[in-house]
Amino acid sequence: MPRVLRVDPADPELDLIREAADALRHGSLVAFPTETVYGLGACGLREDHVLRLFEAKGRPPTHPLILHVASLAEAERLAGPLSGAGARLAAALWPGPLTLVLPRAPQVPRAVTAGLDTMAVRVPAHPIALALALALGEPIAAPSANAHTGVSPTTAEHVLRSLGPAVDLVLDGGATSKGIESSVVDVTGARPVLLRPGSASVARLRELAPDLEIRAASSVSDTASRPSPGMAERHYAPRARVQVVAPADLAASFAGASGEGRRVAVCAWSDAARSWAAARTSGPDDCIYMLSSSPEAYGASLYAVLHDVDARGYDELVIEAVPDGEPWLAVRDRLRRAAAEA
Ligand code: AMP
Ligand code: MG
């Protein structure tokens, strides 16, 4: 199993960060926390290192990686000066959960961009991720630190459970705060395009880029050429079978699934679900996960629930559908794909 170093997320110990940066330089795969989810890092400009990442995750080579850098200045050192919507978004939201798709810099290996002429870049807000990028002094390519199509990790434990010995070193900085991946915005065209909804709210993105086009809901097959490669239909999926049901159908769906003798958990958020859960007279209570009715707080705990459902061996998870509307866009996207057929 990998070495695990506990790092203070508020004030990362420099000797530990330097050790991790050295490991990256030598070709190791290092998992580290960002404010969204844990990433599995490799030197982003080294094709041989990056290929190890794809292998460790079982990630198809058609899914490009995000390059993590320590500052806007580092991003511009790689990509050249940003302009227009890209410059506005970066100035306002970096460090933070925003990934910009930019024209590929010549020194970025094709493996990173899955052969595309564009590259994805982000400045993460987590002190450990920032310190690591700063210590390495070059971009860190880092997809989420989970096996391909699995649930993204929000704790070091999730990383160990999903990837185990495929990782060389884990920086354990505790649970991540946002819990849903970054928002991916392509700024290479005439209009900025939201390719993946994420932890940066659509409302905030629109404030900064009023002509933002939302293409995120389009789901495309794993083999087709697609606007945002890597948006495989099934993703973020636990082993348990997942169904997303309308709030009015929650009780009946739970009863139906349990009636088949299966172990069923419920993930819900509404007041009605809370009342139903409180009024239940039979069966254990610990199979009901009540999440927040705020999309940010819901998103922060969703993956922990999905991991826990698997750790406790449930056969099935019934999820109460979340509201329509843009504030819930990223959560709905993750739920839809967690429930997609393999
Ligand atoms: P992950 O690292 O698993 O969180 O996924 C990375 C995300 O970034 C995926 O949704 C990719 O589609 C997206 N991405 C990375 N590079 C590019 C690119 N060059 N063009 C479009 N999307 C990209
Ligand atoms: Mg991922």
Side-chain angles (χ1 to χ4, degrees), residues 57 59 64-66 99 101 112-113 116 118-120 142-144 181 184 195-196 227-231 235:
K57 281 189 55 116
R59 183 176 175 110
L65 305 174
I66 296 171
T99 296
V101 172
V112 169
T113 69
L116 297 171
T118 54
M119 63 177 179
S144 52
E181 294 80 355
V184 179
L195 297 177
R196 174 177 76 180
S228 184
M231 294 186 62
H235 202 157

Side-chain angles (χ1 to χ4, degrees), residues 139-340:
I140 305 173
S144 52
N146 55 279
H148 182 60
T149 78
V151 181
S152 299
T154 55
T155 65
E157 229 169 72
H158 297 159
V159 176
L160 295 173
R161 236 186 275 147
S162 185
L163 289 175
V167 187
D168 299 306
L169 181 65
V170 179
L171 300 183
D172 180 354
T176 65
S177 60
K178 302 222 176 268
I180 296 275
E181 294 80 355
S182 61
S183 306
V184 179
V185 179
D186 183 344
V187 290
T188 61
R191 276 179 71 180
V193 182
L194 179 65
L195 297 177
R196 174 177 76 180
S199 280
S201 79
V202 177
R204 185 76 181 111
L205 295 174
R206 268 199 220 286
E207 264 172 35
L208 298 158
D211 57 345
L212 182 75
E213 182 186 332
I214 298 187
R215 210 179 286 160
S218 71
S219 68
V220 273
S221 86
D222 218 6
T223 48
S225 80
R226 45 188 170 261
S228 184
M231 294 186 62
E233 176 58 22
R234 181 180 165 83
H235 202 157
Y236 317 108
R239 270 192 310 276
R241 202 180 86 110
V242 175
Q243 46 170 330
V244 180
V245 304
D249 298 335
L250 190 66
S253 299
F254 176 70
S258 312
E260 293 159 25
R262 294 159 64 78
R263 294 190 61 223
V264 184
V266 170
C267 175
W269 60 275
S270 70
D271 286 341
R274 204 176 293 278
S275 309
W276 164 72
R280 284 179 69 232
T281 49
S282 63
D285 289 342
D286 63 351
C287 65
I288 297 176
Y289 299 88
M290 279 307 308
L291 268 53
S292 171
S293 57
S294 116
E296 292 78 24
Y298 184 108
S301 36
L302 174 62
Y303 291 160
V305 169
L306 300 183
H307 281 286
D308 197 55
V309 162
D310 276 351
R312 293 166 58 195
Y314 285 104
D315 302 308
E316 185 145 349
L317 174 64
V318 178
I319 301 183
E320 180 183 30
V322 297
D324 290 336
E326 273 179 2
W328 287 91
L329 185 65
V331 166
R332 277 201 311 278
D333 171 77
R334 304 310 189 266
L335 293 184
R336 185 172 54 75
R337 295 201 266 158

